[in-house]
Amino acid sequence: MQRLFRDYVGIGPKWVIRRFRLHEAAERVHQGLDLATLAAELGYTDQAHLTRDFTAAVGMPPAAYARLNTRT
């Protein structure tokens, strides 16, 4: 199934799921949820896992991203 997905879409399903979760996290991080709750709701193992993925993709931790978005 993964091979068919990759052949049809051009990228793997794991990449798509990860990007979806990160986009969802970026939208919801400034809603005031604590990061542990957000991580659990998005299917991450723990808050540290969310923070690592988020920082790698966005370039800053979720808390810094939330502060940045509340200033603008």
Side-chain angles (χ1 to χ4, degrees):
M1 187 71 121
Q2 291 178 1
R3 198 173 310 130
L4 289 172
F5 186 93
R6 181 178 298 277
D7 291 344
Y8 184 74
V9 179
I11 51 177
K14 186 176 179 180
W15 188 91
V16 171
I17 291 168
R18 183 173 181 238
R19 287 294 167 201
F20 172 79
R21 290 184 347 182
L22 288 171
H23 280 273
E24 190 69 23
E27 288 181 21
R28 295 176 58 191
V29 74
H30 62 281
Q31 291 178 348
L33 287 175
D34 70 314
L35 293 178
T37 302
L38 181 60
E41 288 181 2
L42 295 177
Y44 282 94
T45 307
D46 56 15
Q47 177 182 341
H49 186 197
L50 167 64
T51 301
R52 276 192 308 274
D53 266 4
F54 194 94
T55 302
V58 178
M60 66 181 71
Y65 183 80
R67 283 191 304 271
L68 180 70
N69 280 336
T70 56
R71 289 185 202 153
T72 57

